[in-house]
Amino acid sequence: MNPKSAEILCIGTEILMGDIVNTNAAYIAKELTVLGINTYHQSVVGDNPGRLKEALDLAFSRADIVITTGGLGPTYDDLSKETIAGWFGRKLVLHQPSLDAIVRYHEKSGKPMTDNNRKQAYMPEGSAIFDNPSGTAPGCAIEQDGKIAIMLPGPPSEMKPMFDNCAAPYLMKLSGETLVSHTLHFYGIGESALEDRLRALMEESKNPTVAPYAKTGEVQLRVTAKAAAKEAAEALIKPMVERLQAEVGEFIYGVDVGDLQTAAVKLLLEKGLQAAAAESCTGGYVAKRLTDVSGSSAAFQYGFVTYSNEAKVKMLGVSPETLEKYSAISPETAAEMAAGARRVSGADIAVAVTGNAGPAPSEGKAVGEVYVAVDSPWYNETQRLDFFRHDEDAREYIRYLASSRALYLVLKAAKLFS
Amino acid sequence: MNPKSAEILCIGTEILMGDIVNTNAAYIAKELTVLGINTYHQSVVGDNPGRLKEALDLAFSRADIVITTGGLGPTYDDLSKETIAGWFGRKLVLHQPSLDAIVRYHEKSGKPMTDNNRKQAYMPEGSAIFDNPSGTAPGCAIEQDGKIAIMLPGPPSEMKPMFDNCAAPYLMKLSGETLVSHTLHFYGIGESALEDRLRALMEESKNPTVAPYAKTGEVQLRVTAKAAAKEAAEALIKPMVERLQAEVGEFIYGVDVGDLQTAAVKLLLEKGLQAAAAESCTGGYVAKRLTDVSGSSAAFQYGFVTYSNEAKVKMLGVSPETLEKYSAISPETAAEMAAGARRVSGADIAVAVTGNAGPAPSEGKAVGEVYVAVDSPWYNETQRLDFFRHDEDAREYIRYLASSRALYLVLKAAKLFS
């Protein structure tokens, strides 16, 4: 069987009420695209067996595969398994390994186990069971008469690993293939510019595929190959990654590195370097993002949030004359902030950010005028950024992108150390 | 007419591909719930006229109101308006005020206007037009034979204000009513504990309704009244807010204040106070959140990110003996960090956070052991927090909740100033 079309059916009254955003549908949709499975419909229904049954009728009239999320919990209104098993004419039977796992989960977490949790170990007869190491609800797949239902739990922290570790391999096994992906991380080029440069390559590439993922301020390209075995898939990917390195390598800051802060901290740790940050308009965002990365304490120890002129003088030794002559929002102040942060902290690399993140002009500077400076023994630079955005999200946008540039400059400076 | 049931139909191939998360559906669903309109289905289809027409057939077979998002853009594949107008047997006609607005929008933003943008001013004949001050695509509503289609643009920054300012009043006008809401912000009580205490009140309250919104680490109650006029709705809300203040007032930190950081900055500004933050495990998160608030520079000038013992000694004057005797993760260190931050910055209030945000034990302390201290002339306290979470999101969760506690303590300290 070579599955070609799937529908995503998310079950939960809390989604219908708008209490939670349905991130599961986007996650599954993206992964199905990578698997080469088309999706033409996504639907949401509440925890209502009648409407769920109707939704199954409709979805299976349009597609061979229906992937559901939600309704696998322990409470009385969690009825997905019963309803979907019933749709296939199957009973629920005790799956002892799942019960054992649920017992172990409760022992480990110290939460009391109720009779309802036992219910979660009853699975559709003859289904393929998907373990849930992150929670109590196992998932499963039923295949019958060319129709496949895949049931996943609702919480994204349980659904995502189960999709990756169980559902995706299950779907690939149907086609007898294995899937391998690598992600190239780009900074300094927009998604549309990157697509313009790589359009022919992306369109002609079927295996591996090359798919762009835009994130705020950066772009990722995921290169994905299908093959009978992992090694063969890797062999398909390798020349494509080399080709991308040759064509747009100047914008690639890493492969499979997660994000800018993770890449920066990883390189700092590898090289035994220390970074410091001095922040005005970003107000701690650079430090926050660096310390998002576990293990960052060995690479980042000093952050200075200097949100006033006085603080810049007192904490970083910025000269009052510079502030007076050029203002706090100037390349001169940014450079002195970075130099001061490196001097006070003794770090190898320091970055500084100063600017106007809005919403009103400040120090005579327009909203969106930002300076980012880096100070290190080998590399010193101050860059000016201009953001032309004035909506209600502009402040967050400007602060985030300015902090991204600071992280990128840390990475760039760290690369120059041996 | 008194509309009772609506469906949400989001149009966009980028949603089906998983390129974007469908936050629009959640937003509209929540607002419909507040308006007293039930939603039993949400659907997503691509930019495909055939499938959109089928989706309309289905949605209008189940509900009287269908609210769509997306497909109002200027490009050739944006076909929502044409298809939906066609479903009602209507033509598109030029709406001159919308064309004028589109011309003005391009003049103001400096972006070149194309012929395609003119297309955006063609609206279904006889529809009610919804202005779009945040973009170029106007929305609209068609009412015919008891069926109503409401078309909104896809970008959330355009959709949300249009829903609030145009679609919601349009729906309320159908029932001849006005809607007013106020939000009470709670800290220190969980959603289920709050619901337990207020269950009877919440269930018996029909006008105003009282609806909880759980956010990470805090809870909001939205009190919403319907009446013929705004004043009458406010008069319905007032006694309910007073009753909630009487019953659970000790957990309310504000009304219509947005979030902890906004409430804290607002109070600091009102009282002319300065706050400072010293952060170890939160690594700048407290500073970042305070400076999220525009205008915070008058209330927050000094942030110290001291991610090592050396930085704590050097930047904050924490005594090496304290670090040696009690470790960096201790109430003693937290208190000295807060005192040091206040001394160095000259601020009125300083908070400090130190702890282990994971993923591994550190300084002999378990993941999730955190101390938060506040130092001010009137109020000094150090609190211990313990988080029992070990999944992949634990680090962000612990850091966020620890920073929330720090913000809450700033607020608590600021309240004691006259």
Side-chain angles (χ1 to χ4, degrees), chain B residues 188-224:
Chain B
I189 185 168
E191 186 186 17
S192 51
L194 188 63
E195 285 195 45
D196 277 349
R197 288 182 62 164
L198 299 175
R199 191 173 306 278
L201 180 151
M202 284 165 62
E203 282 172 3
E204 81 194 27
S205 303
K206 300 300 176 203
N207 193 20
T209 57
V210 180
Y213 293 64
K215 309 181 77 172
T216 306
E218 52 182 299
V219 185
Q220 300 176 357
L221 282 187
R222 185 148 70 161
V223 183
T224 305

Side-chain angles (χ1 to χ4, degrees), chain A residues 93-405:
Chain A
V93 293
L94 179 66
H95 183 245
Q96 190 62 41
S98 290
L99 185 59
D100 296 344
I102 292 168
V103 170
R104 276 198 309 276
Y105 180 90
H106 284 90
E107 282 169 3
K108 202 173 140 196
S109 68
K111 292 177 193 159
M113 180 169 162
T114 67
D115 275 351
N116 282 339
N117 290 117
R118 281 183 64 88
K119 190 187 98 164
Q120 297 187 285
Y122 281 77
M123 305 303 290
E125 207 167 13
S127 61
I129 308 298
F130 297 164
D131 288 348
N132 184 354
S134 319
T136 56
C140 65
I142 301 179
E143 188 183 353
Q144 187 172 308
D145 306 330
K147 299 291 184 191
I148 296 168
I150 292 181
M151 293 169 234
L152 302 173
S157 61
E158 302 176 25
M159 190 286 294
K160 290 180 190 180
M162 191 182 291
F163 188 93
D164 293 348
N165 301 326
C166 304
Y170 177 88
L171 290 167
M172 290 308 296
K173 221 167 104 184
L174 294 176
S175 61
E177 290 174 314
T178 295
L179 203 73
V180 176
S181 285
H182 291 294
T183 302
L184 279 65
H185 299 261
F186 291 78
Y187 183 82
I189 185 167
E191 187 186 16
S192 50
L194 189 62
E195 286 195 46
D196 278 349
R197 289 182 60 162
L198 300 176
R199 191 173 307 279
L201 181 152
M202 285 165 63
E203 282 173 2
E204 80 194 27
S205 303
K206 299 301 174 203
N207 193 20
T209 57
V210 179
Y213 292 65
K215 309 182 78 173
T216 307
E218 52 180 301
V219 185
Q220 300 175 358
L221 282 187
R222 185 148 68 161
V223 183
T224 305
K226 286 181 191 178
K230 187 171 176 297
E231 294 70 26
E234 293 282 8
L236 288 167
I237 290 176
K238 193 162 174 278
M240 176 60 79
V241 170
E242 285 166 359
R243 193 168 152 196
L244 289 166
Q245 292 274 13
E247 294 203 18
V248 286
E250 73 266 37
F251 302 106
I252 298 175
Y253 71 81
V255 178
D256 297 329
V257 287
D259 49 31
L260 280 168
Q261 54 267 37
T262 307
V265 168
K266 189 166 167 277
L267 189 62
L268 292 168
L269 292 173
E270 275 170 20
K271 298 201 171 185
L273 299 171
Q274 291 280 334
E279 305 183 61
S280 188
C281 68
T282 45
Y285 217 152
V286 176
K288 189 264 172 193
R289 288 178 66 184
L290 283 168
T291 59
D292 279 344
V293 185
S294 61
S296 51
S297 62
F300 177 77
Q301 305 187 351
Y302 286 81
F304 307 82
V305 181
T306 56
Y307 219 52
S308 66
N309 284 355
E310 182 197 296
K312 289 176 184 71
V313 173
K314 207 159 153 185
M315 289 174 78
L316 299 168
V318 173
S319 103
E321 292 72 33
T322 301
L323 292 166
E324 173 70 28
K325 188 168 171 192
Y326 301 105
S327 98
I329 300 174
S330 66
E332 292 80 6
T333 297
E336 285 193 28
M337 286 171 69
R342 193 155 83 87
R343 192 174 55 244
V344 175
S345 67
D348 305 291
I349 300 163
V351 279
V353 188
T354 185
N356 181 2
S362 167
E363 308 247 341
K365 305 296 172 123
V367 172
E369 182 176 335
V370 178
Y371 297 90
V372 184
V374 58
D375 193 284
S376 77
W378 323 109
Y379 168 49
N380 291 273
E381 190 179 353
T382 302
Q383 299 185 347
R384 173 176 171 150
L385 311 177
D386 289 284
F387 300 98
F388 302 98
R389 191 167 160 174
H390 298 276
D391 60 36
E392 62 175 11
D393 300 323
R395 190 176 167 85
E396 167 63 17
Y397 177 81
I398 293 168
R399 281 157 47 90
Y400 184 82
L401 288 191
S403 70
S404 292
R405 178 63 61 95

Side-chain angles (χ1 to χ4, degrees), chain B residues 38-97:
Chain B
N38 294 323
T39 315
Y40 300 109
H41 295 89
Q42 295 173 4
S43 313
V44 178
V45 288
D47 298 296
N48 175 298
R51 279 192 284 274
L52 174 52
K53 198 190 153 298
E54 283 172 17
L56 289 170
D57 289 341
L58 179 66
F60 277 123
S61 77
R62 300 186 294 208
D64 295 330
I65 304 169
V66 176
I67 300 178
T68 70
T69 64
L72 303 184
T75 63
Y76 72 95
D77 62 347
D78 288 307
L79 295 162
S80 296
K81 249 178 348 193
E82 291 79 347
T83 309
I84 298 168
W87 195 88
F88 284 95
R90 301 208 190 180
K91 290 183 301 185
L92 298 185
V93 294
L94 177 66
H95 184 246
Q96 190 62 44

